[in-house]
Each structure stands twice: as C-alpha cells, then as structure tokens.
Amino acid sequence: MKAKVSGTKKKINGTTFLLMITILLFVVMYAAGMIVFNDKGFAKPQMFLNLFISNAGLLVIAMGETIVMITAGIDISVGSVTALVCMVAANQMENHGASAYTALLMALVIGLLFGLIQGFLVSYLEIQPFIVTLAGMFFGRGMTSIISTDMISIKNATFMAWAKYKIYMPFGSYSKRGKFLPAYIYPTVIIAIIVLIVIMIIMKYTKFGRSVYAIGGNEQSALMMGLNVKKTKMCAYLLDGFLAGLGGFLFCMNSCAGFVEQAKGLEMDAISSAVIGGTLLSGGVGTPFGTLFGVLIKGTISSLITTQGTLSSWWVRIVLSALLCFFIVLQSVFASLKKKN
C-alpha cells in the first residue's frame, strides 16, 4: 500500500504536475484577458470559441507532432506540408476544375506520402528525424513555389460552403441594443475535436499507443520486450503525415487561399504546443490532452495581442518562445530529479 501511494506521488510530481501547470497557465492568461479587455468583448463566449476556430488546423497537426515526439522523434516539415496542401487544393479547384472532395483526397494523399517516405527513412534506414524532416520541409516549400508563386484565392462553391457553414450554439451574448447573438463554430472545429478524442483513445487504450510510449521511454528496452520498433515508428510517422494533410486542409478552409509563404513557422507552433502541453523532447512522455492546452495557450497569446491592438504580431512568437524555454527548463529539472530518485 505504501509503495502504491509513493508511486502515485511520483506520477503527480512529474507528468501530471507539468500538465497542471499548463492548464493553470491557460486559465490565468484567459482570465486576465477577460478582466483587462472586458470592454472589448474578450469575456464573450464567442471569443473563447474563436480560439478553436482559428487553431483547428494547428490542433490536428499538433496531435501528429505529439505522437512523433513521444517516440523521441520530431517533424519540422508540417508547415511546408500545410502550405503545399493549400496550394495544391487551391490550384486544382480554381485552375483545373477539381471538386472540393478531390482536393480533400489529394490533401490526405500528400500528407500520407510525406509520412510514408519520412517514416521509412527514419525507422528503417535509421536517419536522424531532424535531417529527414528538414529535407521534407525544403521539398514541400519548394514544390509549393513551383506550382505557383502567386496567391490563389479559392472560390469553389462547395469548398466555401464547408468553410463558411456556421454551427450555432445554444448560448451567446447580447449586443448593445439588447439583441441576442448566438455563439457559433465552423465544421473545422468539430473535425479537430473528433481527431483529438480519437488520438486520446489510441494513445491510452491501444497496443500502438502503449508501444509508442515504450519506444520513446527506452528503445532498447522496447526491443527486449519484443516490440516491433521499426514498424511502430513507421506507423507513427504515417499517422503524423495523415494528420498533417488533414490539418493542412482545415488550415486551408480557414484561409481560403494558397500561397508560398503560407503556414510559415507552423511547425514551431506545433512543436511548442506539444512541449508546453507536457511532451518531452527526449520522448516517452506526453499527452494529446496536454497538447490541446498548448494550442489554446498559443491562441490566447495571439488573441490578447490582437485585442490590445498596438503590439506587433511578432510578440506572439516572442512570448511563445519564452514559454517554450520555460517548459523545457521545467522538464529538465523534473528529469534530473527523477534520475536522482
């Protein structure tokens, strides 16, 4: 009984404690925004839902990034994959008459191809994930510019109907004239939440999820346990690629355009969201639920700076990088304490 209590304390003091810090940070930041910018509507329900609307694509992409990082890998190509997906979708629908369904299928195929090739190079040829995905980042961005150097706005009727369809909530706020304004979300939010739930179930209750954690924790031990390390890593990168393709399409539904500089820095947003959410860069630790709050923190920072009105948008990157460093230091401290114990 004593050993059981001691194990529980260790769990709370480690991974769970980092998650609690992330959740508390989000609550404090958002509450501060509601108090400071109450006159600008920050306290309205729609402002909170806008965090999900603006970051639905990032949330899906960050789920894939989390899985790869738990295996002790990384994927810095997701921003370029998103840009390529947006450009291909826009070009096919506007210049070649493709349907929105075809564009969606192409987006998923592009993501899967990146996942397949990068996964094979990382898992079976044992090339460093950073090098492989760096090459993927350059390739994706280069292919985007080859398709078109001009911005292509999407006007496809079906695509625009998907992108602009509002799902109204039973709650909302009142205008200055006393008119009730129901809050709303877009289909992208529903898809992102479904993906989050599915990934949470996969990582917690399936053999694949347990294998991913085991490999990230100690690859040699995982091999001795009889786990197929190469196959699991391959599947992790395939899933990461699929989610990058899907997330890229959701990102496209938000921007309704394709251009070369699109989603620049998105890979760092995904990585920082995972790290702030408690995923260790060394692998073996992390949760999709924590990554959700990492994404929400990024969205809250962006909303606070936008609402403030006078600060440069680059402050989002500055604050996010500071938080990233803070959480990396925290993780290092906990890792050191764990080794001593």
Side-chain angles (χ1 to χ4, degrees), residues 85 102-116 241-242 245-246:
V85 163
T102 302
L104 172 59
L105 180 61
M106 292 180 75
L108 298 179
V109 169
I110 289 170
L112 283 171
L113 283 174
F114 268 83
L116 178 66
F242 174 81
L246 177 60

Side-chain angles (χ1 to χ4, degrees), residues 148-200:
S148 177
T149 54
D150 299 322
M151 186 177 79
I152 302 175
S153 298
I154 300 174
K155 300 181 179 66
N156 181 280
T158 304
F159 182 88
M160 293 305 293
W162 291 351
K164 300 301 180 184
Y165 183 78
K166 291 182 179 180
I167 302 169
Y168 289 99
M169 302 288 104
F171 52 85
S173 58
Y174 289 88
S175 67
K176 293 180 179 179
R177 295 182 180 180
K179 184 181 178 182
F180 178 70
L181 303 173
Y184 61 86
I185 56 173
Y186 293 121
T188 53
V189 177
I190 302 295
I191 295 169
I193 291 173
I194 291 172
V195 168
L196 169 66
I197 293 170
V198 170
I199 297 301
M200 285 175 67

Side-chain angles (χ1 to χ4, degrees), residues 201-212:
I201 292 170
I202 288 173
M203 295 304 289
K204 189 169 184 178
Y205 297 108
T206 67
K207 181 182 176 182
F208 168 75
R210 291 189 292 270
S211 299
V212 167

Side-chain angles (χ1 to χ4, degrees), residues 37 40 303-312:
F37 299 117
K40 296 184 179 181
S303 295
L304 287 171
I305 290 171
T306 303
T307 306
Q308 196 275 338
T310 59
L311 292 173
S312 167

Side-chain angles (χ1 to χ4, degrees), residues 84 87 138-148:
L84 181 60
M87 181 61 81
F138 289 141
F139 178 80
R141 195 65 66 175
M143 287 301 297
T144 303
S145 62
I146 285 175
I147 294 171
S148 177

